[in-house]
Amino acid sequence: ENEGESALTSRFVKFFSGKNESNPCPFSSEHVLHIGTTDGKEDLFLELTEEGFDLLRGIDVDHDALARGWDGYSRGVIICCCASQGSSPENIAPVDFRSRFFGPKVGIDEDPVTGSAHCSLGPYFGLKLGKTTVVGRQESERSGLVECTLKQEEGRVNIVGTAVTTISGHLAIRI
């Protein structure tokens, strides 16, 4: 099914309008600047105004509806915006863009920092801002900074950031 951008935008607004109907989120389609999918249609990609991005902070996301809402992607939802000058809190380096990542189709409500999403975010904002290196801040409960260096001649994006070990172990493979 090939839905138009306005139909997808309407669905997105419903997912993030909050579950509490008596106190709905003031988010609207006016806050959506771009909607599409990443290469390979793994992720739904939404660029919002910075105001729209900030309105989603603290909203109770309907993850089940997000997973069932549209079949045009197979993994997750990337939400992002350009970062304005001075949008970084004190003592945090300035960034070029801000993002969040939800993986409803792979069982992840919200991922703290998603390197693979930055492999799409880096080229998008690099082209938009005319830069070969951009820095993004993924704003989850944990949050993190990711530097993306575009290697256009190689068709690659190098990403640098800090990581948190969540599990470790050994893998034995019988050959």
Side-chain angles (χ1 to χ4, degrees):
E1 181 176 85
N2 191 4
E3 277 189 88
E5 190 170 306
S6 62
L8 283 175
T9 300
S10 296
R11 284 182 182 218
F12 174 74
V13 170
K14 288 178 187 174
F15 302 142
F16 291 89
S17 61
K19 293 180 183 177
N20 184 355
E21 292 181 17
S22 64
N23 187 22
C25 173
F27 183 82
S28 73
S29 61
E30 294 174 5
H31 296 109
V32 179
L33 299 176
H34 171 77
I35 188 166
T37 57
T38 57
D39 292 344
K41 299 187 186 233
E42 273 192 323
D43 300 320
L44 183 60
F45 187 100
L46 295 117
E47 182 188 4
L48 308 179
T49 63
E50 195 164 32
E51 176 188 17
F53 187 89
D54 288 338
L55 285 172
L56 298 181
R57 193 176 295 153
I59 292 297
D60 190 14
V61 177
D62 189 343
H63 298 284
D64 291 333
L66 194 57
R68 292 187 319 272
W70 185 58
D71 291 330
Y73 70 99
S74 62
R75 185 180 74 145
V77 178
I78 300 169
I79 301 170
C80 58
C81 71
C82 269
S84 63
Q85 296 293 340
S87 68
S88 293
E90 264 185 59
N91 301 323
I92 295 182
V95 296
D96 297 301
F97 63 90
R98 300 162 57 201
S99 66
R100 293 176 71 183
F101 180 84
F102 303 90
K105 293 192 176 185
V106 291
I108 300 169
D109 287 346
E110 183 167 9
D111 195 41
V113 183
T114 315
S116 59
H118 283 80
C119 289
S120 295
L121 288 161
Y124 180 82
F125 284 103
L127 182 63
K128 184 172 184 141
L129 301 173
K131 295 181 169 186
T132 56
T133 299
V134 290
V135 177
R137 181 175 60 246
Q138 189 160 328
E139 298 183 6
S140 61
E141 195 173 303
R142 188 182 89 211
S143 289
L145 295 176
V146 179
E147 179 183 275
C148 308
T149 302
L150 311 179
K151 302 288 187 178
Q152 292 175 326
E153 64 282 350
E154 299 170 31
R156 297 174 10 144
V157 179
N158 289 352
I159 59 173
V160 177
T162 57
V164 173
T165 302
T166 58
I167 191 169
S168 66
H170 298 279
L171 178 63
I173 301 174
R174 292 179 190 238
I175 298 179

